[in-house]
Amino acid sequence: MTDDEVLSHVRKRLSEFTPTGDPSELAGGNLNMVWRVPGEPSPVIVKYAPPHIAANPDVPLDPSRLLIEARSLELFEPEGPLAALCDTELRPPHPIDVDTDPHVLVMEDVGGGPDLGAWFRAESDSGAAKAIGRHIGEFIGTLHAQTESREAFANAFDNRPMQETRHAVQYEPARDYLAAAGVKDADMLGDRTEALGKRLLEPGRCYTMGDLWPPSVRITEDGLRLIDWELAHYGQPAQDVAHFVAHLWMQAHRAPDASAAERIRACQRAFLRAYRAAVGDAADALLDENSLRDCAIHFGCEILARTTGAFQEGYLYEGLSPHHDAIQEAVSMATEHIRDPDAPDTFASLRR
């Protein structure tokens, strides 16, 4: 999709929107192509889902992921079933229009504020970091609790194509990511990660956001905005909880100084405490021992994917060789969680 096609699309689809300039493509997206279009009454974001990974056209990807995202955003609209989760502190963007030919979603522009990772590197207030962790933990915990064992959500958000892609690029090849770093028992550990990927293809327990990492959390003057819902799925808590915690660990590991690292760790602690409190009575169903083991293994898988795996480029460990000290430290942390998922205390605060 070209800039001219984006402009033509919004003119055709949005009768009350008047473009006032050319679209500008936004950097940082891997799965989709995204533009900001200036206009009146306010700028909009246009997201196009090609039938492959936008950053890697050789890898096919079901474009219906964009319909999952549109359906997800509608859940939080004023008349949606999850509207009560949203307040000025945290909410997804408002959807404006969705088209299926081509797969294009137009939504609210939440502004050009920093994502959570950039904010961590610039912000000096530990109290604000704790508040962010608390808000996200409350939101995700309540989201999981309110959708636990809800058949309507299970039917509407069976995002199996994306889960199959995640299995193919994250869980199944983890043995190769481990081997690249010289881990001797890579095959045994790979069996464990592959088994997790297969379990995550089975019917889930709750509705998950699916892509909870720093670039999906935008810091605005009006509060936090949670973007990029195309991986949403009726699945397992680990793919939100452990995903976010893995990225907070990596952010702290690669922080520019000790002060920034401590802010990030404070955010992580607040997130886990708030999540556990928000889950409430649903904890028995969502946070049993098997779920906590899955959290540990997914934590390891996500670190591997970002260090020696398919998603190193464009992130914290970009360009580092498998034998670089930082890579080896991160792989050691990942391996510890996969090898003995009951041992690390990373998710201890989720236990009763």
Side-chain angles (χ1 to χ4, degrees):
M1 198 169 191
T2 66
D3 289 0
D4 287 343
E5 288 171 329
V6 169
L7 206 55
S8 175
H9 183 89
V10 295
R11 283 175 172 152
K12 176 182 177 182
R13 300 282 301 188
L14 307 182
S15 60
E16 298 181 359
F17 176 78
T18 303
T20 58
D22 294 329
S24 57
E25 188 169 359
L26 304 183
N30 288 319
L31 300 183
N32 308 299
M33 301 176 69
V34 184
W35 294 263
R36 172 176 286 116
V37 183
E40 297 294 341
S42 58
V44 297
I45 296 296
V46 177
K47 179 181 285 191
Y48 164 59
H52 52 74
I53 292 179
N56 188 351
D58 293 332
V59 180
L61 197 61
D62 190 335
S64 67
R65 62 189 183 272
L66 210 65
L67 304 183
I68 290 286
E69 177 163 15
R71 202 177 303 146
S72 295
L73 299 184
E74 290 169 359
L75 292 174
F76 302 98
E77 288 297 278
E79 302 302 320
L82 298 178
L85 271 69
C86 301
D87 56 26
T88 56
E89 297 293 345
L90 194 158
R91 65 169 176 83
H94 296 302
I96 297 173
D97 180 73
V98 62
D99 191 9
T100 58
D101 187 20
H103 284 79
V104 176
L105 173 63
V106 183
M107 69 191 91
E108 171 194 14
D109 181 7
V110 300
D115 68 28
L116 183 58
W119 183 88
F120 279 139
R121 291 186 288 277
E123 178 59 49
S124 59
D125 186 350
S126 179
K130 291 178 184 177
I132 288 175
R134 184 177 69 253
H135 290 314
I136 298 173
E138 289 173 348
F139 181 90
I140 296 298
T142 306
L143 176 68
H144 290 180
Q146 290 193 2
T147 59
E148 189 266 323
S149 297
R150 295 277 296 276
E151 186 176 356
F153 286 91
N155 293 335
F157 295 97
D158 180 10
N159 198 0
R160 188 177 178 88
M162 291 304 298
Q163 287 295 98
E164 290 174 342
T165 297
R166 295 183 78 165
H167 180 59
V169 300
Q170 182 172 37
Y171 305 110
E172 189 173 39
R175 69 182 72 245
D176 298 327
Y177 304 159
L178 289 157
V183 176
K184 293 182 179 180
D185 55 347
D187 282 337
M188 183 276 288
L189 298 176
D191 289 343
R192 187 163 291 174
T193 65
E194 187 172 358
L196 172 62
K198 290 178 179 178
R199 284 198 300 278
L200 293 173
L201 294 174
E202 298 172 357
R205 305 185 192 195
C206 62
Y207 170 71
T208 61
M209 186 269 178
D211 199 17
L212 191 61
W213 68 313
S216 294
V217 181
R218 311 298 299 197
I219 315 295
T220 80
E221 294 180 357
D222 299 319
L224 305 177
R225 298 294 179 261
L226 197 53
I227 66 172
D228 294 338
W229 290 74
E230 62 264 31
L231 299 186
H233 175 66
Y234 198 80
Q236 302 295 340
Q239 283 190 304
D240 278 345
V241 178
H243 202 79
F244 192 52
V245 172
H247 281 278
L248 292 178
W249 184 89
M250 288 185 278
Q251 290 281 337
H253 185 227
R254 299 294 287 164
D257 53 55
S259 177
E262 180 49 39
R263 288 195 298 274
I264 298 164
R265 286 191 286 267
C267 179
Q268 175 180 321
R269 291 190 294 269
F271 167 76
L272 287 169
R273 285 195 298 268
Y275 176 85
R276 178 61 183 82
V279 166
D281 292 340
D284 287 343
L286 295 175
L287 297 175
D288 60 17
E289 289 303 313
N290 288 330
S291 292
L292 295 178
R293 291 186 192 101
D294 286 350
C295 280
I297 298 171
H298 177 79
F299 174 92
C301 287
E302 185 61 18
I303 292 175
L304 291 174
R306 299 289 173 175
T307 52
T308 60
F311 301 109
Q312 186 200 56
E313 185 176 352
Y315 201 50
L316 300 166
Y317 300 87
E318 182 175 25
L320 301 184
S321 77
H323 303 293
H324 188 281
D325 286 348
I327 295 284
Q328 287 292 308
E329 289 165 2
V331 170
S332 177
M333 175 62 70
T335 302
E336 174 187 345
H337 284 72
I338 299 168
R339 184 176 289 123
D340 190 356
D342 291 312
D345 63 1
T346 304
F347 301 100
S349 60
L350 298 181
R351 293 186 169 90
R352 288 189 291 177

